[in-house]
Amino acid sequence: MNGQHIPGTPVVVDFWRLRDVPPRCLFFLTHMHADHTSGLSASWPYPVHCSPVTGRLLKRKFKINPKLVVELEVGESRMLYVNCPGVPVTVTVTTLDANHCPGSVMFLFEGYFGSILYTGDFRLSPSMLTHPLLNGSRAIDVLYLDNTYCHPSCQFPTRDVVAKAIVELIRDNPECMYLIGLHNLGKEDLLVTLATEIGTWVGVSPERYETLKELEMPAVFSTELGQCQISVYPFHMVAKSMLSEMNSASSAIAILPTCLFSGAGAPASPSNPNIRVFPYSDHSSYDELRQFVGSVRPRSVQPVVRNFTGERRTIFTRCNMGVFADLLDPSPPVSYGLQPV
């Protein structure tokens, strides 16, 4: 689970184990990926603050009481009240686009604890560097940073560059069928780009099709999975056995748009030549993280991801926020007092 109760605050982000958080907290959800929703269920008893898109997906997937889903528009600032014993307090939250997957957001929290920016998972976009809350003009005491690829070896191109490379592969091999390995949510824009540039339908499962309708994506998708030139399958299913089945009838190429192996000491591509890995990432590269921290200029940085698993476990230094020391605001932290409403 990539979430936590932020120490010294009533704020809990992407963390759903009630026994491990104090009472009278405010709960926030950055986006709907499984590693950020573990613990949520229809029986969840407290309000969940999230973007409108995440709110729709949350109600559909987990059947949470709609009255408990508090939707915050991107760019909106809202004052929330916390009934702490003896001293009721307020927390102001501002929601910012995280450019990660549909509905993903960052949260800026301001209150008696100072100012805390929590990115969740994000991919840097040029507009972030000029945003008035992210360009250094607003003092940020603590930045909780998506450190998924926080290592100098984690370098990869922009999504547009990688999407063009995938389009070129398909155009150069028009006789092939293409299997795209994806997780349940994310990279929908890539699929739309492939469909419009190649001029074909993209086959998806009925469940993914319903999600795409919920997201109001362009009408380029079909439930004729396996019958379209491009079809989407679960990431873990795009394997050699599936390719063997496909190749019995026609030539097939599997595409894995991921930076999962970036900087992990693992091979960049599988041994099977019909499985192509393209470095298409919804997380920021190391250089992009440096750009972002240099723009925000927080007083301190904390990692969002603290426990790496699988191949990425070989890079323990991804949790070392000392790599940003030269980019921090050197001014001393401000002492804040608990103020009654």
Side-chain angles (χ1 to χ4, degrees):
M1 182 189 297
N2 295 329
Q4 56 201 296
H5 168 235
I6 298 178
T9 79
V11 172
V12 181
V13 187
D14 297 345
F15 190 81
W16 314 104
R17 294 200 299 260
L18 287 177
R19 66 181 181 276
D20 294 326
V21 299
R24 291 172 292 275
C25 282
L26 300 170
F27 294 89
F28 298 85
L29 176 60
T30 59
H31 64 289
M32 277 292 291
H33 281 161
D35 54 336
H36 294 257
T37 59
S38 177
L40 278 174
S41 68
S43 61
W44 180 260
Y46 299 112
V48 177
H49 301 80
C50 59
S51 71
V53 170
T54 296
R56 295 200 302 271
L57 296 175
L58 186 64
K59 288 179 280 190
R60 179 171 169 266
K61 180 174 181 178
F62 292 107
K63 312 300 181 185
I64 287 178
N65 183 346
K67 294 180 180 179
L68 295 177
V69 178
V70 182
E71 297 179 357
L72 304 173
E73 294 287 347
V74 171
E76 175 186 1
S77 293
R78 187 178 299 188
M79 183 177 290
L80 305 174
Y81 293 85
V82 186
N83 290 318
C84 295
V87 188
V89 300
T90 60
V91 173
T92 299
V93 58
T94 304
T95 310
L96 305 166
D97 180 27
N99 193 36
H100 174 66
C101 71
S104 63
V105 292
M106 310 181 198
F107 294 113
L108 174 62
F109 303 106
E110 298 173 286
Y112 66 87
F113 44 78
S115 57
I116 297 172
L117 176 62
Y118 195 101
T119 67
D121 292 346
F122 85 106
R123 181 79 197 255
L124 182 71
S125 66
S127 62
M128 291 178 185
L129 301 177
T130 58
H131 194 287
L133 297 179
L134 304 175
N135 65 2
S137 59
R138 177 74 68 94
I140 302 296
D141 293 300
V142 186
L143 169 63
Y144 281 83
L145 183 70
D146 173 14
N147 56 310
T148 302
Y149 293 113
C150 183
H151 191 273
S153 64
C154 298
Q155 305 288 352
F156 37 81
T158 66
R159 289 183 290 199
D160 285 344
V161 168
V162 180
K164 289 178 182 177
I166 298 175
V167 169
E168 288 178 7
L169 169 69
I170 298 174
R171 283 178 173 163
D172 290 345
N173 301 275
E175 75 285 357
C176 292
M177 302 284 283
Y178 291 89
L179 289 60
I180 313 290
L182 295 180
H183 297 296
N184 290 334
L185 182 68
K187 301 182 173 67
E188 288 79 11
D189 288 344
L190 172 62
L191 299 178
V192 172
T193 296
L194 298 181
T196 54
E197 290 293 323
I198 302 302
T200 186
W201 295 94
V202 175
V204 297
S205 67
E207 182 180 3
R208 187 182 292 272
Y209 188 80
E210 291 303 313
T211 298
L212 292 165
K213 286 202 303 182
E214 192 78 64
L215 297 174
E216 300 178 349
M217 299 300 293
V220 297
F221 299 98
S222 166
T223 54
E224 294 181 351
L225 189 62
Q227 302 303 309
C228 304
Q229 185 183 16
I230 301 173
S231 291
V232 178
Y233 291 92
F235 188 88
H236 65 277
M237 286 179 60
V238 178
K240 193 171 183 178
S241 58
M242 175 176 283
L243 282 174
S244 297
E245 294 177 14
M246 294 289 291
N247 282 328
S248 64
S250 62
S251 180
I253 295 176
I255 294 174
L256 299 177
T258 180
C259 286
L260 178 65
F261 310 108
S262 176
S269 300
S271 57
N272 187 336
N274 286 335
I275 300 180
R276 310 287 181 88
V277 177
F278 285 84
Y280 188 99
S281 178
D282 288 329
H283 296 269
S284 298
S285 68
Y286 179 76
D287 284 350
E288 289 171 341
L289 292 176
R290 296 262 316 161
Q291 281 186 274
F292 184 76
V293 176
S295 177
V296 174
R297 283 184 59 78
R299 290 189 172 97
S300 66
V301 184
Q302 296 292 328
V304 166
V305 186
R306 290 162 293 171
N307 298 310
F308 284 97
T309 58
E311 292 85 356
R312 289 179 289 174
R313 208 174 164 187
T314 60
I315 306 293
F316 293 106
T317 53
R318 292 189 189 187
C319 291
N320 175 22
M321 298 295 98
V323 297
F324 303 112
D326 61 315
L327 304 174
L328 303 183
D329 178 356
S331 63
V334 178
S335 178
Y336 298 92
L338 189 62
Q339 300 293 327
V341 177

